[in-house]
Amino acid sequence: MSVRHFLLTENGSMEEFTEDEASAVAEGKQDLPRFADQQLRYVQVAFDDQANDEGEIQVKTLGAIVKFDDAGRLTEADRARDAQDELNEFEHDACVQFALRETLPQSYALN
């Protein structure tokens, strides 16, 4: 199973992090100064590396609201508390499609 990590920024962009980068940030070993004093949405996309016998790839997603202090250190991760913090369908699908870009090149996933 592969896992991809994304932060959705306040200006509408999506930034991907490797497994090592995401772990380092979560463990407090790496700061992200460009996100100082921000609250962002985090999306994790986990998916099978290969299709099953029916040609399907199982995909699981989870999301959180993450907060950074004035130095860009992760200080909190929590679930969305209101509609403003929740991922919309487009953002969710964009993260999934981007995560699968190498596994399913030139393909589109149906949900």
Side-chain angles (χ1 to χ4, degrees):
M1 182 158 275
S2 294
V3 180
R4 306 280 194 224
H5 305 269
F6 301 94
L7 282 179
L8 303 178
T9 67
E10 293 175 349
N11 67 0
S13 66
M14 175 174 64
E15 188 167 331
E16 183 175 9
F17 294 85
T18 67
E19 188 73 25
D20 290 340
E21 290 170 327
S23 293
V25 170
E27 293 170 7
K29 296 177 182 175
Q30 180 177 339
D31 298 340
L32 298 173
R34 63 191 174 282
F35 299 128
D37 290 323
Q38 293 186 40
Q39 174 177 298
L40 304 174
R41 290 171 295 158
Y42 164 79
V43 181
Q44 183 183 85
V45 181
F47 56 93
D48 295 334
D49 295 319
Q50 296 180 6
N52 62 19
D53 293 338
E54 289 82 39
E56 300 171 333
I57 292 178
Q58 185 176 25
V59 177
K60 297 177 183 180
T61 59
L62 65 84
I65 300 300
V66 293
K67 295 180 183 177
F68 296 91
D69 67 11
D70 60 352
R73 283 185 295 271
L74 180 67
T75 60
E76 185 178 338
D78 203 356
R79 62 183 166 87
R81 300 215 182 268
D82 55 40
Q84 177 183 343
D85 291 338
E86 292 179 6
L87 284 180
N88 65 40
E89 205 172 304
F90 175 80
E91 293 166 328
H92 176 271
D93 290 352
C95 289
V96 169
Q97 298 249 349
F98 199 72
L100 295 173
R101 71 190 179 279
E102 294 167 359
T103 303
L104 300 171
Q106 300 178 0
S107 297
Y108 294 91
L110 299 176
N111 343 3

